[in-house]
Amino acid sequence: MVDRSPGKAASGEQSIKILSVIVGADSTATCLNAAVLAAQSVGDCTIEALNVVVDPGLLVAASEEVDMQRLREHWEGTASERSAACHTAFVAWTAGAAQDAPPVAWRTIVGDEQVVVTQEANNADLLVVIAHERNMDGGDALHAALFDSQKPVLIVPVSWKPQPGQSFSRVAAGLSDSDAARRAIEAATPWLEVATDVTAIRIGDAGDPALKLEALLDDAGIAHQLHVVPRSHENLGQQLLTEAHLAGADKLVTGAYRHNQLIEWFAGGTTRHLLAKADIPLLMVR
């Protein structure tokens, strides 16, 4: 059984907190498994499993938002029922967790998903982990973490499952000429430093300004391979995923939403394609 005492390492000293946002019962184990791998990679971490109960009766929000929350009860159950299902999934996960898993604490907060996630994400020390579950809570939580918090977000496909003995030891980093890509590489440094294999991927020309971001890896003393390939796919996100797979990566580091979300929705964009097609965890920063 996992020790659920919040915020304390085995030594009794304050440890680094990773926030795992639980947005649905079906993705609870997936989210926690990814959080455990992220924590074990850097060591001395605790995990807080946060579940926000969006009770329409207690929301201070526009009437349309309250009506939408009430409507979803017909399809997904009440807020309390959804939260209870998530907690049941959490208890089942803890029962099967490895003895050396980091401490995990369950926390429930009643409130607005985006407001709570933004606040708690900013209180996290290192990372926010969210499974990409396509429900209202999942969409709101992901938007809040990416757009409103200052933390890197590990976005985990619901279908992802770690292999026995897997760790985030093989990491691919996408190079692009954007501030978001720079911030993503900087935020991922704790994992890049301990990875056994790091591949920096640039899709484009060999003389592209984005290759200057390789200096971030050099300055941090991170051994890596540079892989520059010409663009060959209309969907840049799909090509980046393909190159990450060819590199054997178990995690992809990349910037998110160089343009705003509305433009990406109508015109398409790398982030949208990555989120739609990814089958490995994405460490993203906007």
Side-chain angles (χ1 to χ4, degrees):
M1 176 70 70
V2 178
D3 177 5
R4 297 189 209 169
S5 56
K8 298 292 181 180
S11 63
E13 298 178 355
Q14 192 73 24
S15 62
I16 298 169
K17 185 177 80 172
I18 290 176
L19 182 68
S20 180
V21 183
I22 306 300
V23 295
D26 292 342
S27 64
T28 295
T30 297
C31 188
L32 291 170
N33 285 334
V36 165
L37 290 190
Q40 290 176 330
S41 296
V42 297
D44 194 25
C45 291
T46 60
I47 298 168
E48 181 175 278
L50 171 68
N51 179 233
V52 182
V53 182
V54 186
D55 187 339
L58 299 176
L59 279 181
V60 179
S63 59
E64 294 83 358
E65 169 67 15
V66 175
D67 290 342
M68 183 65 71
Q69 291 293 343
R70 293 191 184 281
L71 181 62
R72 68 185 296 208
E73 293 181 356
H74 176 73
W75 304 104
E76 301 176 25
T78 66
S80 60
E81 288 171 343
R82 297 194 303 270
S83 181
C86 289
H87 187 260
T88 297
F90 170 77
V91 171
W93 178 86
T94 60
Q99 291 296 319
D100 61 349
V104 181
W106 175 266
R107 188 178 181 200
T108 300
I109 298 178
V110 178
D112 179 276
E113 186 83 35
Q114 293 195 55
V115 172
V116 173
V117 169
T118 298
Q119 177 180 327
E120 297 304 317
N122 284 326
N123 289 335
D125 297 310
L126 188 65
L127 181 70
V128 179
V129 184
I130 301 177
H132 190 212
E133 188 161 340
R134 289 171 173 81
N135 57 28
M136 186 176 294
D137 290 341
D140 288 347
L142 184 57
H143 185 277
L146 277 178
F147 283 84
D148 300 327
S149 85
Q150 305 299 315
K151 294 297 189 296
V153 185
L154 185 64
I155 304 167
V156 191
V158 174
S159 61
W160 174 84
K161 292 183 179 180
Q163 299 300 315
Q166 181 179 346
S167 63
F168 288 141
S169 60
R170 299 176 63 87
V171 183
L175 303 183
S176 66
D177 187 20
S178 71
D179 290 338
R182 177 180 298 276
R183 288 192 292 269
I185 292 174
E186 291 172 343
T189 298
W191 292 276
L192 294 171
E193 287 178 335
V194 298
T196 59
D197 187 280
V198 176
T199 303
I201 301 171
R202 173 57 191 170
I203 298 174
D205 299 326
D208 196 293
L211 296 179
K212 295 178 182 178
L213 290 183
E214 188 185 10
L216 292 177
L217 301 174
D218 293 331
D219 293 344
I222 297 170
H224 63 279
Q225 303 174 37
L226 177 62
H227 190 44
V228 182
V229 294
R231 183 164 181 171
S232 61
H233 199 291
E234 181 179 356
N235 186 326
L236 185 59
Q238 182 60 62
Q239 187 176 356
L240 184 56
L241 280 172
T242 298
E243 296 299 331
H245 279 299
L246 289 174
D250 47 39
K251 180 170 66 178
L252 173 61
V253 175
T254 179
Y257 290 113
R258 183 172 183 174
H259 305 291
N260 69 49
Q261 193 174 20
L262 186 62
I263 292 176
E264 288 228 355
W265 177 257
F266 284 108
T270 303
T271 304
R272 182 185 172 195
H273 291 147
L274 282 170
L275 291 174
K277 299 296 184 181
D279 53 1
I280 58 175
L282 306 171
L283 196 156
M284 286 186 158
V285 176
R286 183 174 185 269

